[in-house]
Amino acid sequence: TFDPGTLNGSTTYYWRIDEVNAYGTTTGTVWSFATAAPAPNPIDIYATGVDNNGNVIADSTVDPHWQVTQSADASYPGPNAYTAVSGAYPMSPSGPWLANTSTSKWIKVRSDTSTELAPGTYVYTQTFDLTGFDPTTAQLSGQFACDDEVDHIELNGVDMGQGASGFDSWHSFSLTSGFIAGQNTLSF
């Protein structure tokens, strides 16, 4: 056996086995193989209300990844999105919203427990980087809940459809096109 150690990516390696005995050396065939390109780093895309390690953050804390990019309430224009207070109305069990989980939290434009906001459209956006990836092969799927409705999901400013309504159940989505090289934006 032979251990070549760590091999480099995108490299062709050659080897040969020669037979040696009392009568001399018989030169073997040269063989080769190529290693694949190294995988790019994973994409940094985050659930709502989590830190860089995916751990949920404290209640009423600014979400480090999601921003309010459109607000109907002039008193709460963004860009900060805050985590909702766990267990406080309208959060389950005292209210109709799904409860915060160990993998995500509700976000909103206010840092307090109030749900009073001007009626209208509120948009939450996250950016992520596909540098080093082939954007034509990118796919993103997940689930969301909303109060009251997500009209559509936008990827890089393009309406991808897949809207839903309801704060008491999860809604699945899947994006398989519309990604671009470099910075991308995802908006709900």
Side-chain angles (χ1 to χ4, degrees):
T1 64
F2 172 72
D3 180 0
T6 302
L7 302 177
N8 295 321
S10 301
T11 303
T12 300
Y13 289 92
Y14 301 89
W15 83 94
R16 180 181 79 200
I17 299 173
D18 295 340
E19 182 179 341
V20 179
N21 60 29
Y23 300 105
T25 301
T26 302
T27 303
T29 303
V30 175
W31 296 81
S32 68
F33 68 92
T35 55
N41 291 330
I43 300 168
D44 290 328
I45 191 162
Y46 299 94
T48 55
V50 300
D51 64 18
N52 290 346
N53 296 317
N55 301 311
V56 293
I57 57 179
D59 293 345
S60 300
T61 301
V62 173
D63 187 299
H65 309 292
W66 289 88
Q67 290 193 322
V68 178
T69 53
Q70 181 178 338
S71 174
D73 195 322
S75 299
Y76 303 97
N80 289 337
Y82 298 90
T83 54
V85 176
S86 300
Y89 187 86
M91 196 83 51
S92 180
S94 61
W97 284 8
L98 289 173
N100 284 332
T101 71
S102 63
T103 59
S104 68
K105 281 189 168 186
W106 283 89
I107 55 173
K108 57 187 200 152
V109 297
R110 293 182 69 149
S111 63
D112 57 20
T113 59
S114 175
T115 58
E116 298 300 317
L117 292 170
T121 301
Y122 295 82
V123 177
Y124 297 88
T125 300
Q126 180 177 172
T127 61
F128 57 97
D129 192 353
L130 290 181
T131 298
F133 291 90
D134 177 355
T136 64
T137 64
Q139 297 182 24
L140 176 63
S141 60
Q143 57 186 11
F144 65 91
C146 54
D147 183 6
D148 285 321
E149 175 183 21
V150 167
D151 180 61
H152 62 275
I153 298 171
E154 283 188 9
L155 180 60
N156 299 314
V158 176
D159 181 342
M160 304 301 286
Q162 304 192 42
S165 61
F167 41 77
D168 57 354
S169 63
W170 292 108
H171 308 285
S172 296
F173 72 94
S174 180
L175 304 175
T176 58
S177 64
F179 298 95
I180 59 174
Q183 289 290 325
N184 288 254
T185 59
L186 176 66
S187 299
F188 288 81

